[in-house]
Amino acid sequence: MRATPAAAAASTDLDLRDELARVHSQAYAWAVRCCRDHRAEAEDVLHEAYMKVLDGRARFEGRSSFKTWLLGVVRHTAREHARRGWLRAIRLERWWRERNDDESTAGEDGRIGELRSALGRLSKRQQEVLHLVFYQNLTINEAAEVLAMPVGTARTHYERGKHRLRALLGESEER
Amino acid sequence: MESRDRELEGLFDAARARDERQVPPFATIVAPRRARGRAPRLGFALAVAATLLIGVAVWRLATPDQPKIVIAFTPGDMYVPTDYLLDMMSFPRAGEIPRIGAADWYPVPLADDASPDTRRTP
C-alpha cells in the first residue's frame, strides 16, 4: 500500500490496527527471522513494534509501502531487544526458550527442513536479504530499505546468498 | 527469473504456507503483555535465589569450624589470694603477741587426703 504523508497523518488508530492485522503474518515471520528463530522472543519484539506504531513512537510517513516500513520497525526493535538481552542471566533463560522453540519446529517436511538448515548456514545478511526477497516477496530495493543498507550491497548479498543456498540445497539433494 | 529461482521461490512459498499455520493471532500479540512472559522470569529468579541459598549453605557446612577456646578450670586449681587472712585467724600461735619481723603466715599445706577446699579449723 502506498500512501502520501498527508494520508498517513490522517490515518486513525483503527486504520493502523487494520494495516497491522493485514500484514501480521509476514511481520511475524520477519520477527522470527530477526530473532534467529526464537518464537517467544519474536512475539515480544512484535508486540513492542506494534506498540510503537500504535503509540505514534514510530510514524509511517508514506515514503514506502506500509509493509516495508513495518518490517524496518520490526528489525530495529529486534536489535534493541537483542541489545537489552545480553544481561539476561547468563543466557540460561534464552537456552530454555531455544529448547522449547526447537521442539516447535521439529518434524518439519524434508525439503522445507533442508531449506531452513541451508539458510542457517548463510551469513546473517544473506539470510535476511533472501528472506525479504523470496519469503516476503519484496524487491531488492525494498529489502535494502528494510535493512538500511545501500541497494548495491543488498544485491551482492542476494546474489551470493542465492548462489550458496542453491549449492547447499544441491548438496543435500545428492545425499 | 531463472527456473532455479522459481525452485527457490517454490520452496519459500511452501515454508511460508507451513509457517502461517503457526502464526499467533494478531489480537494476542497486540494485547498487553500477559503473565506468560513474566512467569518463566519469576521462576528463573526463584531458581537462582534457591541455588545461591544452597551454595551458601554448602559453603558454610564445608568450611571447618574455628578452634574453640575452652577455659578449663576446676575448683581444685583455684587459689584465693586472701587465704592467708583466714590462716591468720586460725593460726595456733594466734594468742601470742606478734613480733615485728615475725613470719606469721605461710601457705597452708594440704593434707594428702584433704579435699582442695579444706580449711584449717581452730
Side-chain angles (χ1 to χ4, degrees):
Chain A
M1 187 192 90
R2 301 267 173 197
T4 62
S11 65
T12 63
D13 183 59
L14 190 64
D15 292 337
L16 282 174
R17 275 183 177 260
D18 288 347
E19 285 300 313
L20 290 174
R22 191 175 61 78
V23 294
H24 170 62
S25 60
Q26 292 104 305
Y28 177 73
W30 177 237
V32 170
R33 164 61 44 208
C34 291
C35 296
R36 297 166 306 283
D37 293 333
H38 304 153
R39 287 170 193 276
E41 202 172 325
E43 285 184 29
D44 289 345
V45 164
L46 203 55
H47 171 79
E48 260 182 71
Y50 285 176
M51 288 302 108
K52 278 183 189 175
V53 174
L54 294 172
D55 296 349
R57 280 176 287 154
R59 195 177 292 276
F60 176 57
E61 292 174 347
R63 286 197 287 254
S64 59
S65 73
F66 183 82
K67 179 181 163 183
T68 306
W69 172 77
L70 179 66
L71 296 186
V73 173
V74 169
R75 178 174 172 272
H76 185 72
T77 309
R79 284 166 67 109
E80 285 174 349
H81 206 263
R83 274 199 289 269
R84 285 200 303 268
W86 71 271
L87 204 56
R88 263 178 237 145
I90 325 166
R91 302 282 179 181
L92 207 55
E93 187 187 346
R94 173 167 286 180
W95 168 80
W96 179 254
R97 286 184 180 196
E98 275 177 32
R99 191 172 159 272
N100 292 342
D101 288 348
D102 286 348
E103 281 165 11
S104 72
T105 53
E108 219 155 38
D109 312 0
R111 203 63 181 142
I112 298 174
E114 282 170 17
L115 173 68
R116 288 198 206 281
S117 159
L119 268 176
R121 293 169 67 183
L122 304 182
S123 75
K124 190 177 168 234
R125 288 292 194 205
Q126 288 171 355
Q127 286 181 39
E128 287 174 336
V129 172
L130 290 184
H131 176 95
L132 290 170
V133 172
F134 284 108
Y135 193 104
Q136 302 284 354
N137 290 324
L138 299 186
T139 63
I140 294 177
N141 286 14
E142 286 171 328
E145 193 175 323
V146 171
L147 297 171
M149 64 168 60
V151 179
T153 311
R155 191 176 299 280
T156 305
H157 285 306
Y158 169 76
E159 292 298 341
R160 288 184 185 164
K162 199 169 63 170
H163 183 75
R164 178 114 197 274
L165 185 63
R166 278 196 206 118
L168 289 167
L169 286 172
E171 275 175 25
S172 59
E173 206 169 9
E174 282 169 19
R175 267 187 248 135
Chain B
M1 193 177 272
E2 295 176 48
S3 65
R4 287 185 303 179
D5 279 4
R6 293 202 189 286
E7 188 193 335
L8 281 182
E9 267 190 350
L11 276 175
F12 275 96
D13 285 348
R16 187 171 49 236
R18 189 190 182 283
D19 288 349
E20 279 186 359
R21 296 198 295 262
Q22 296 180 344
V23 175
F26 174 70
T28 312
I29 299 292
V30 175
R33 288 281 85 173
R34 55 266 183 229
R36 179 194 65 77
R38 303 201 190 285
R41 283 176 199 168
L42 180 64
F44 182 70
L46 286 175
V48 169
T51 308
L52 280 176
L53 277 176
I54 290 169
V56 169
V58 168
W59 177 71
R60 288 297 299 261
L61 287 174
T63 308
D65 288 337
Q66 296 290 327
K68 285 180 182 165
I69 298 169
V70 178
I71 300 171
F73 96 97
T74 55
D77 297 332
M78 290 179 70
Y79 170 70
V80 181
T82 53
D83 263 1
Y84 74 94
L85 293 173
L86 297 172
D87 290 343
M88 291 293 288
M89 296 293 288
S90 57
F91 194 64
R93 294 181 296 168
E96 294 178 8
I97 298 167
R99 288 174 292 130
I100 294 171
D104 56 0
W105 64 274
Y106 56 92
V108 181
L110 293 176
D112 289 342
D113 58 345
S115 64
D117 60 345
T118 301
R119 303 222 183 272
R120 202 178 325 157
T121 51

